[in-house]
């Protein structure tokens, strides 16, 4: 085995010495915020908390003050009977910050931020933050609230102003229902902050790059009600698109049928079959900087497609399958100059050997080998175990990571390829 490629641990230090305001609103998810503050402090950040009055009903000011080792900011108006008070804190806190993180962000505060209201420390921080400093907003609420037109509109307004909106996750909600609206776990929030800081401080190599990501399964129609497909959920491709957008790349996501929300800042093209995915992808072949094939494109499709619904006949049904276009191989054969082709290999056995062959035959720059057990890696699950192999045959084995984190590691590796290319040329 050749020597492993060592990742630069730049993420580990990115928050050290940075001033971060954590804005906490009145939602159930506020109970997670003392842990968030602790993690940020552990990363070496200076943290000050801006807590809304409603927020203080869900999480204790004392806990937040203890973990942040700072007073907790609520009102803009300091008590005038105390000497040495910071009378301009409605401005100075926002000026102090390198980043503002609002988690959880309630529907109420989203509306206030979108319309420019400024009636507590949190909203004042938002308005007084210095230009270019990242604002990360983590909406968290009941699923119906999240889908309401006014919440959608306010989120769009804030995103258009440059705020990074991180979609809530799906799962069990405090209402007892299941749906989208759950705040991500603090560990994941910290990673998003790191990414945002990285994009704003040390410009990512992917900043401004045009990246096309394919995701999800394809459906190969037998007739109008039946198809051949696979178990791909699209989670890996969506995580890559999201991570690339956070690094300020221009991302187009071409996806088969999945139940996932489009990551903010990503242009999405929905397709159904491999032929449609190929047709959509070809439009970007000459213009994109990086093509990442994370879709589970069906290798074959039925040779004949019956319009309408095929009647059940007695006896066997013969169905001949013909080969679909290999989208990634097509891009690999046409790419020029510094264009990069990145692929995935889902293998059962002889993974390294098969992935290596795929890398060469498709003229890829990097391939991510993964296996499928439907528990820790591969289709449907939230985690993946990737082994990255580059053109030089260097191998990086990643541990089991959630797909967001695996996506970030993959992008780190792509950045490393860019860095190497710019040193070599
Ligand atoms: C038990 C309870 C839970 C709540 N959870 C949420 C929530 O998760 N998200 C949300 O947007 N609002 C939630 N609300 C409503 C907010 O607390 C309310 O809109 C409040 O005015 C928000 O104020 P703030 O934005 O200043 O923090 C909840 C209210 C109650 C009583």
């Amino acid at each position: 085995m050749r020597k492993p490629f060592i990742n630069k641990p730049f993420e580990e230090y990115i928050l050290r010495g940075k001033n971060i305001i954590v804005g906490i609103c009145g939602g159930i998810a506020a109970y997670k915020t003392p842990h968030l503050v602790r993690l940020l402090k552990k990363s070496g950040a200076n943290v000050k908390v801006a807590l809304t009055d409603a927020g203080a009903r869900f999480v204790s000011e004392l806990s937040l003050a203890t973990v942040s080792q700072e007073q907790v900011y609520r009102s803009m108006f300091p008590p005038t009977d105390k000497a040495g008070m910071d009378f301009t804190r409605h401005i100075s806190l926002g000026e102090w910050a390198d980043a503002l993180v609002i988690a959880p962000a309630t529907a109420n505060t989203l509306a206030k931020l979108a319309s420019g209201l400024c009636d507590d420390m949190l909203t004042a921080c938002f308005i007084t933050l210095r230009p270019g400093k990242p604002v990360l907003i983590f909406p968290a609420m009941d699923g119906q609230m999240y889908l309401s037109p006014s919440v959608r509109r306010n989120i769009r307004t804030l995103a258009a102003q440059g705020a990074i909106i991180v979609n809530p996750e799906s799962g069990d909600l405090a209402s007892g229902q299941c749906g989208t609206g759950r705040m991500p776990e603090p560990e994941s929030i910290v990673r998003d902050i790191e990414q945002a800081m990285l994009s704003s401080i040390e410009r990512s190599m992917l900043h401004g790059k045009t990246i096309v990501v394919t995701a999800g399964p394809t459906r190969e129609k037998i007739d109008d009600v039946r198809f051949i497909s696979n178990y791909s959920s699209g989670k890996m491709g969506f995580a890559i698109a999201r991570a690339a957008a956070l690094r300020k790349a221009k991302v187009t996501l071409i996806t088969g049928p999945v139940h996932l929300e489009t990551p903010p800042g990503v242009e999405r093209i929905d397709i159904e079959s491999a032929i449609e995915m190929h047709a959509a992808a070809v439009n970007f072949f000459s213009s994109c900087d990086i093509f990442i094939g994370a879709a589970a494109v069906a290798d074959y499709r039925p040779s004949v497609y019956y319009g309408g619904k095929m009647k059940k006949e007695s006896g066997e049904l013969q169905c001949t399958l013909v080969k679909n276009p290999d989208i990634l191989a097509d891009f690999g054969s046409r790419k020029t100059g510094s264009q990069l082709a990145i692929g995935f290999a889902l293998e059962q056995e002889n993974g390294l050997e098969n992935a290596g062959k795929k890398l060469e035959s498709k003229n890829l720059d990097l391939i991510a080998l993964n296996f499928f057990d439907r528990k820790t890696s591969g289709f449907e699950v939230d985690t993946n175990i990737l082994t990255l192999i580059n053109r030089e045959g260097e191998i990086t084995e990643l541990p089991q990571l959630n797909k967001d984190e695996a996506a970030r590691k993959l992008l780190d590796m792509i950045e490393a390829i860019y860095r190497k290319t710019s040193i070599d040329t």
Side-chain angles (χ1 to χ4, degrees):
M1 195 138 304
R2 280 170 250 193
K3 72 176 164 44
F5 194 96
I6 309 297
N7 276 327
K8 264 185 83 175
F10 53 84
E11 282 182 353
E12 282 172 25
Y13 304 104
I14 202 79
L15 296 183
R16 191 169 292 174
K18 294 290 176 299
N19 297 336
I20 296 177
I21 299 174
V22 177
I24 303 171
C25 305
I28 294 287
Y31 81 88
K32 296 181 181 175
T33 55
H35 185 44
L36 170 64
V37 172
R38 263 193 93 228
L39 290 178
L40 290 170
K41 291 287 290 181
K42 259 180 91 177
S43 307
N46 308 310
V47 183
K48 294 188 181 183
V49 172
L51 180 65
T52 67
D53 286 346
R57 302 182 67 135
F58 292 85
V59 59
S60 117
E61 198 173 324
L62 179 62
S63 304
L64 292 165
T66 308
V67 286
S68 66
Q69 296 161 315
E70 289 276 352
Q71 62 166 305
V72 169
Y73 294 81
R74 286 178 60 181
S75 169
M76 280 184 277
F77 305 103
T80 46
D81 56 346
K82 287 199 182 145
M85 287 306 296
D86 172 13
F87 289 105
T88 55
R89 61 182 176 165
H90 66 292
I91 303 168
S92 57
L93 194 56
E95 283 176 341
W96 169 85
D98 292 311
L100 169 63
V101 181
I102 305 178
T106 52
N108 178 59
T109 291
L110 289 172
K112 291 203 303 189
L113 299 177
S115 55
L117 290 180
C118 176
D119 64 356
D120 57 16
M121 272 309 284
L122 194 160
T123 45
C125 289
F126 178 73
I127 285 187
T128 55
L129 198 72
R130 289 289 156 259
K133 303 288 182 189
V135 179
L136 291 95
I137 300 180
F138 294 80
M141 62 198 69
D142 167 75
Q144 283 310 317
M145 284 174 83
Y146 181 62
L147 292 175
S148 88
S150 50
V151 169
R152 309 305 308 158
R153 183 196 59 223
N154 293 329
I155 285 178
R156 277 198 304 276
T157 303
L158 291 165
Q161 286 175 19
I164 298 166
I165 312 285
V166 181
N167 295 329
E169 293 176 349
S170 299
D172 294 333
L173 300 172
S175 60
Q177 294 175 345
C178 200
T180 301
R182 228 168 55 169
M183 190 174 89
E185 293 307 312
E187 287 78 3
S188 170
I189 294 179
V190 171
R191 273 176 236 115
D192 284 334
I193 301 169
E194 287 168 346
Q195 286 298 309
M197 297 301 284
L198 197 70
S199 309
S200 69
I201 300 161
E202 181 188 317
R203 239 166 97 108
S204 158
M205 299 290 285
L206 303 182
H207 190 122
K209 293 273 186 301
T210 304
I211 302 184
V212 176
V213 184
T214 64
T218 60
R219 285 180 180 172
E220 310 304 325
K221 277 184 169 180
I222 298 170
D223 63 13
D224 282 336
V225 294
R226 303 177 182 92
F227 54 80
I228 297 172
S229 190
N230 56 60
Y231 288 110
S232 169
S233 62
K235 286 178 183 169
M236 193 66 238
F238 274 60
I240 294 169
R242 177 167 174 266
L246 279 172
R247 294 185 193 197
K248 300 259 170 27
K250 293 180 214 137
V251 185
T252 301
L253 179 62
I254 306 175
T255 178
V258 294
H259 301 284
L260 297 172
E261 201 173 330
T262 312
V266 169
E267 192 194 327
R268 171 171 176 167
I269 300 173
D270 287 287
I271 55 83
E272 208 170 310
S273 66
I275 299 264
E276 285 169 12
M277 184 173 272
H278 184 242
V282 162
N283 294 325
F284 298 92
F285 275 6
S286 59
S287 59
C288 73
D289 295 301
I290 303 167
F291 188 92
I292 305 177
V297 183
D299 291 327
Y300 295 94
R301 67 179 183 281
S303 60
V304 182
Y305 153 70
Y306 296 85
K309 182 172 179 252
M310 232 162 64
K311 292 300 283 178
K312 187 160 97 181
E313 306 286 348
S314 60
E316 287 177 358
L317 168 72
Q318 298 283 340
C319 178
T320 309
L321 300 178
V322 292
K323 266 204 158 163
N324 269 327
D326 188 326
I327 303 170
L328 195 54
D330 191 15
F331 175 72
S333 68
R334 300 198 212 184
K335 75 187 178 83
T336 55
S338 60
Q339 282 186 306
L340 296 182
I342 319 295
F344 275 77
L346 184 71
E347 299 293 340
Q348 192 165 12
E349 50 199 19
N350 301 328
L352 277 179
E353 195 185 323
N354 291 337
K357 280 185 191 157
K358 209 166 166 182
L359 179 100
E360 263 176 45
S361 67
K362 299 191 184 199
N363 192 27
L364 306 182
D365 298 278
L366 185 70
I367 194 158
L369 164 66
N370 57 167
F371 297 90
F372 58 98
D373 60 7
R374 299 181 70 185
K375 287 193 200 91
T376 59
S377 57
F379 287 158
E380 288 182 305
V381 291
D382 289 329
T383 58
N384 215 346
I385 303 171
L386 298 181
T387 299
L388 307 178
I389 309 164
N390 69 10
R391 274 179 101 88
E392 284 73 44
E394 293 165 332
I395 295 164
T396 305
E397 286 179 9
L398 299 178
Q400 181 182 342
L401 298 169
N402 73 44
K403 283 185 174 167
D404 279 331
E405 196 158 346
R408 286 189 276 266
K409 294 287 180 204
L410 179 76
L411 294 187
D412 289 348
M413 190 61 80
I414 297 173
E415 294 210 24
I417 294 175
Y418 264 120
R419 254 182 234 117
K420 192 166 177 297
T421 324
S422 53
I423 292 167
D424 288 352
T425 51

